[in-house]
Amino acid sequence: MRVTVNGADHTLTCDGGRRLSRVLREDLGLTGTKIGCDAGDCGACTVLMDGRQVCACLVPAAHADGTAITTVEGLAEEDGRLSALQRAFHRHGAAQCGICTPGMLIAAHDLLTRELHPSVRQVQDALGGVLCRCTGYQKIVEAVLDVTSNAPDPALPDSGAAVGARVARLDGTDKLNGRDLYGDDQRPADALWLRIVRSPHAFAHFELGDSEAWTRATPGVAAVLTAADIPGANSFGIYPTLKDQPVLAEGFVRYRGEAVAIVAFETRIAGETTDLASFPVAWTAHDAVVGIDAGLHADAPRLHDDSPGNVLIRGRVACGDVDTALASAAHVISGDFRTGFVEHAYIEPESGWARRAGDRVELRVSTQTPYMDRDEVAHVLGLDQERVRVIPSAVGGGFGGKLDQSVQLPLAVAAWVLNRPVAMLYTRPESMAATTKRHPSRISAKLGIDAEGVLQALSFHGDFDTGAYASWGPTVAGRVPVHAPGPYRLPHVTATSAAVYTNGPPSGAFRGFGVPQAAIATEMLMDQAADRVGLDRLEFRLRNALRAGDRTATGQVIEASVGLAACLEQLKPHWQRYLDEAATANRTSGPLRTGVGIGCMWYGCGNTALANPSIMRLGLRADGRLTLYNGAVDIGQGTYTIMAQIAADALGAPLDRVTQVFGDTDRTADAGKTSASRQTFVSGKASELAGTDLRTQVLRHTNAGEDAELVFEDGGVFVIEAGRRRAIDLSALPANEEGDVMTGEGTFDPPTQPLDADGQGVPYATYAFAAQIALVRVDTELGTVTVEKMVAAHDVGRAVNPTLVEGQIHGGIAQGLGLALMEEYLPGRTENLHDYLIPTFGDMPQIECLLIEDPEPLGPYGAKGIGEPALVPTAPAILGAIRHATGVVCRQVPVLPHRLRAWIKAGDAEAAE
Amino acid sequence: MAAYFQPRNLQDALSAMNDGRWTVLAGGTDHFPARVTHVPDESLLDVTAVPELRGISHSETGIRIGAATTWTDLVEAALPAACAGLTAAAREVGGIQIQNRGTIGGNVCNASPAADGIPALLSLDAQIELASLSGHRTLPLSDFVIGNRTTTARPDELLVALHLPATALTGQGAFVKLGARRYLVISIVMVAGTLDLADDGTIETARIAIGACSAVALRMTALEAALIGARPAEALERLDTSHFAGLSPIEDPRGDPAYRNDAALTLTRRCLARLAEAA
Ligand SMILES: Cc1cc2nc3c(=O)[nH]c(=O)nc-3n(C[C@H](O)[C@H](O)[C@H](O)COP(=O)(O)OP(=O)(O)OC[C@H]3O[C@@H](n4cnc5c(N)ncnc54)[C@H](O)[C@@H]3O)c2cc1C
Ligand code: FES
Ligand code: FES
């Protein structure tokens, strides 16, 4: 076949029915066209074919014969500079992880060639076939609308002024021209292609059949590996004492999707054309334990020997005397709430490759946690940690899902045992079935209020379905009771939790670690409480808001950076405007009802009462070049940019002097996981300390005083003191293995104190606070909900990069909206991106962000976290708005149309009685 | 290695169909999503280059739509007001990428209960033209799609075209779709309708079809009969739940039967209101 790609003619021979996306990526090396689903659902593979956008995963190669294809690599100007469209994306922060960006750019390009000045609606219609899990779409729309302005690239801030500036992502260019290399974009040509045989049953015994015969009969199979081939321990898990999940199951599986064997194929094509259902396994399926009720049932089978009653772990926070306080409260509001499994649905499925290099093994994988990967691989291979190297690829979204092991362990085992490079990419259904989910919850809570509307007591219990294996279950069980009271003063609290084993997929880390589920319950009660005491819902929250100097339910006194009241104060005029708008809209009768809702949250940054240090290094070469050794993985949220901004300012160097070595376990120090909204706060502080440490060393070297100015230029480093400028001679200093003559190092571990049996202690060093309001329209006849607009007020301590903070808020709201209205993972039923729905362009409200900066004294330049806080208040705000519009208290999410319609009808029936 | 054949004329296509070893491929938007976990070794017959399967033509007897006509072709075509529902359905299929590739013939042959094209075509009395080496035959769409993913096409037959008879093209059409999100969404329920008015302004013919509430989208014949003689503005008053007795929706993650029945009624009301407004 002959095809013109980005203006160049190619003649190719390949199977005519092969996906065009494969031909572009594998045969032509154009890996800018991404694979997210192979099913037309995500649009990451969008290319132009004869001037029209198509999904390259749905085009048979032969069909492209004689056509002209444009991929993301073909969008830049002829001289290689970014096009006006790409530059607009860059300025607006429209690419976060960047995995959807090629598809977005192509779809936008298609639109702009037809309509140079599109409306918002036209942009949404034209780009509506591409999913983004990071941005919430708003900045993408803004970028497309702003292409014709051709505004200049944002100037880099002056030396010392990087923190607080809207710096465009420093790793942005490669995300816009398709050059950034994700997990599936960099495999060596001779790598074996791995696939995994998985259980189709949630609970079963099995026996492997004659895999040798199968290997002989199946073309292209190089090897089959089973549990017996694992060199070290056949177990993994987040907690050192809780490694309860096998890499490959041994005779017994506990969830649908569990791995039982690894098949290595000689080529990727052989792997992708083999039906693994033919692999010989004899299954004996049992009745699965589905859901919390079943897991806790007296007759339930015990899923793990060490966990009687299937309770993995319990959490508890207690202070005051809840029973007495509830008994004497003027009002008591109570309720039960349920949430389901939620899938991370990052657009990049798990992927990467590995090779054995002598007595070491090296992995390049899409991960949020290279250091934990290193340790898990070492455990499974039976090697010292030093013999494992992990280099994160560009990460196409994580949200907690890439904090667990997925491809890492099969890659490492196969590379080690077979001594060949090996690569793999999960299919979308595999990614959904096999990897972790947000914990489903079953929560009962009771809130006591006095006659003046002052909160008195909370009694809270949440059961969390941790699925087949522990994963991050203990983290959820520990975090929830601490956060259950919400960001309010509550003198009497009993908050307990349990993580329950079932035959569901393992529940792990997902943006918020159980706090979003808890917030749904308590914020719904807050709304009802406000109504009961006759107070406006915002006013009621303000009256009870935590303030600096208050004591939390764990006995911690939060001295500073408690910005909830400021958030609420700033929201007030918007809230009133929304209420007025709703009142006006509701004057007309009809099926459409408008409602307004509010949600508040607090969120402890970092691990719960556990050490979680970060170490950062900043190196200086003799010629004045600076290198940040940054181990804080960027999963789209921007640590690559943020850490450099902070380190540069701390040192007093211009940002563009700082190059980076990123996330390589051999070359960077451990900056912990990208989780728990800890990177800006913890690793950011370490970056600041690394910068100041280096500055101190340089000044000491030249005997300059504290106030001297440092200048980093191409010619070297200069110091300006008392108006005099001197060159600093570094040439005599010995260089280390990286070539640096000086290295500033910063270590920060946020100060916490262990929690006692009643959860008393200091679980976190700082908390983020936020409040969001939403205006929704409910079609009461159909039960559908449209979130029209939202205002999000977030106390982030200090917005190190406001564009990135807004991006986190938009993206968090998108996921919160999904949690509230559409996302529900049902094993075996919603295992793809057309049955599992995440928000599209047309489902997002117009969002306004209010950034409140109540500085955290411990944080870098006052900053704390935003990643998870952005999501927590969204569902409560939307559910509150639905209740305002319809009177229905939503006790289960997602509020799917059929559920809401049934509740509305039940409510109408009640009213009629 | 699997073969790939893209015939340039109908004769070659039909000869290939006669072999029985080919899998028919049009836009591929249903084909590839069914081959995610593995791509089987199969020989593909790409029918999109056969001239008889392309394009939309008008004649006295009606409109002929080639089976391989894409949704985008339909959106961009100049069609009478009766086809407003079909065009609206085309705009609601997937995203633009899917509309640029997916074909109306593929939608019909795939025979999903949630196929958006089928109710719209039913409301236009669409006829199906099939061809094989033994000749052409034409049958009503309702005799072609007879079950969930089941059609009455013989293995050697190709869907060549859809015919919309002139008698169904005089009125006004509309289409209403309900999904759980804005773009790229499988319908929970959809309703398509056309209305023809008599000279006195009363309804002469109504054709209402509902999808995703039964294994095959259905015409609401009792409702259609009840509407005859009504003024469009009064149409809603004639609606009765008994008209929907033929629906037998299933439970799936998108909705339960009670909800689908309920939503079908609401959507039908809205479809009629839209038709009345336009008529
Ligand atoms: C992301 C996404 C979103 C979608 N959204 C929608 C939606 O909203 N509404 C909707 O209705 N559908 C939707 N679809 C399904 C699909 O796009 C449509 O059904 C489309 O019209 C199928 O046409 P095709 O040409 O792509 O079919 P193909 O995939 O090429 O073929 C489909 C089937 O029909 C057979 N076939 C095709 N043409 C002929 C012929 N001429 N003669 C005989 N047999 C033939 C094929 O053998 C195959 O079995 C969606 C699909 C995707 C991937
Ligand atoms: S990979 Fe093609 S649409 Fe997802
Ligand atoms: S930036 Fe869109 S998916 Fe990550």
Side-chain angles (χ1 to χ4, degrees), chain A residues 468-674:
Chain A
Y469 296 103
S471 177
W472 294 86
T475 313
V476 168
R479 192 173 266 272
V480 165
V482 174
H483 288 81
Y488 309 112
R489 292 180 187 145
L490 258 163
H492 307 280
V493 173
T494 309
T496 55
S497 65
V500 181
Y501 280 127
T502 67
N503 290 126
S507 297
F510 191 166
R511 221 171 179 172
F513 287 109
V515 177
Q517 295 94 308
I520 285 173
T522 47
E523 288 293 293
M524 285 307 271
L525 297 186
M526 286 295 285
D527 277 0
Q528 290 168 267
D531 289 0
R532 187 72 69 82
V533 295
L535 276 175
D536 170 80
R537 288 170 286 161
L538 184 149
E539 223 30 84
F540 176 59
R541 286 171 167 86
L542 191 53
R543 185 166 296 189
N544 290 289
L546 278 176
R547 291 165 199 260
D550 280 345
R551 185 178 293 273
T552 72
T554 70
Q556 176 181 6
V557 176
I558 322 187
E559 300 288 359
S561 193
V562 186
L564 179 64
C567 290
L568 290 168
E569 292 289 353
Q570 288 216 20
L571 279 173
K572 266 187 186 172
H574 302 277
W575 176 247
Q576 195 52 53
R577 180 162 57 85
Y578 278 16
L579 286 171
D580 294 345
E581 192 173 321
T584 311
N586 288 335
R587 247 173 252 144
T588 37
S589 61
L592 285 188
R593 309 311 295 162
T594 302
V596 179
I598 181 168
C600 294
M601 75 101 230
W602 65 327
Y603 199 80
C605 298
N607 292 355
T608 310
L610 287 174
N612 63 143
S614 277
I615 306 169
M616 285 281 174
R617 295 199 186 107
L618 184 60
L620 174 63
R621 288 173 188 248
D623 62 4
R625 277 185 293 161
L626 293 161
T627 308
L628 180 64
Y629 299 90
N630 180 354
V633 178
D634 196 324
I635 56 173
Q637 87 288 36
T639 42
Y640 188 91
T641 308
I642 299 276
M643 298 304 144
Q645 283 180 266
I646 293 171
D649 272 14
L651 174 64
L655 194 50
D656 59 358
R657 300 293 308 176
V658 182
T659 57
Q660 297 196 38
V661 167
F662 202 68
D664 177 341
T665 56
D666 271 11
R667 297 175 68 195
T668 64
D670 188 348
K673 320 167 283 338
T674 293

Side-chain angles (χ1 to χ4, degrees), chain A residues 34-46 55-58:
Chain A
K34 302 301 180 192
I35 301 174
C37 69
D38 275 343
D41 295 318
C42 74
C45 63
T46 301
C55 292
C57 71
L58 302 181

Side-chain angles (χ1 to χ4, degrees), chain A residues 14-17 19 37-41 43 46 49 52-55 57-60 62-63 110 121 124-126 128-131 195 272-275 427-429 591 779 781-784 822 826 829-830 833-838 840-843 896-898 901 905, chain B residues 1-4 6 8 25-42 44 46 48-49 54 72-73 76 94-98 100-101 178-186 188 251-256 258-260 262-264 266-267 269-270:
Chain A
C14 71
D15 187 343
R19 291 181 158 91
C37 69
D38 275 343
D41 295 318
T46 301
M49 191 162 109
R52 287 190 188 265
Q53 54 168 309
V54 300
C55 292
C57 71
L58 302 181
V59 176
H63 202 97
D110 183 29
R121 182 61 195 267
Q124 292 179 339
D125 282 351
V130 192
L131 297 178
R195 292 198 60 200
E272 291 185 335
T273 50
T274 299
D275 182 1
T427 65
R428 178 58 61 178
D779 184 327
E781 287 178 350
L782 293 174
T784 50
M822 58 182 81
L826 304 168
R829 298 182 77 187
T830 60
L833 292 176
H834 53 265
D835 291 315
Y836 186 87
L837 301 183
I838 66 171
T840 67
F841 267 95
D843 302 302
L896 295 170
H898 66 273
R901 175 66 184 148
K905 278 173 106 173
Chain B
M1 193 157 98
Y4 189 96
Q6 193 184 51
R8 304 270 153 180
L25 181 74
T29 62
D30 279 318
H31 173 92
F32 282 104
R35 287 153 177 81
V36 170
T37 51
H38 81 282
V39 183
D41 187 19
E42 61 194 330
L44 299 178
D46 177 344
T48 58
R54 305 286 329 205
T72 299
D73 293 338
E76 292 176 357
I96 305 285
Q97 298 96 324
I98 303 302
N100 282 342
R101 295 281 304 153
L178 169 65
R181 71 177 176 190
R182 177 66 195 85
Y183 295 105
L184 293 174
V185 69
I186 303 172
I188 304 172
E251 161 112 41
D252 68 12
R254 289 182 280 279
D256 51 38
Y259 176 72
R260 282 201 163 90
D262 191 66
T266 300
L267 255 54
R269 265 204 218 105
R270 293 184 186 182

Side-chain angles (χ1 to χ4, degrees), chain A residues 19 32 238 241 279 388 402 410 468 473 483 526 769 805 809 829:
Chain A
R19 291 181 158 91
I238 303 305
T241 53
F279 188 85
V388 180
K402 291 175 184 167
H483 288 81
M526 286 295 285
F769 292 87
V805 173
I809 294 174
R829 298 182 77 187

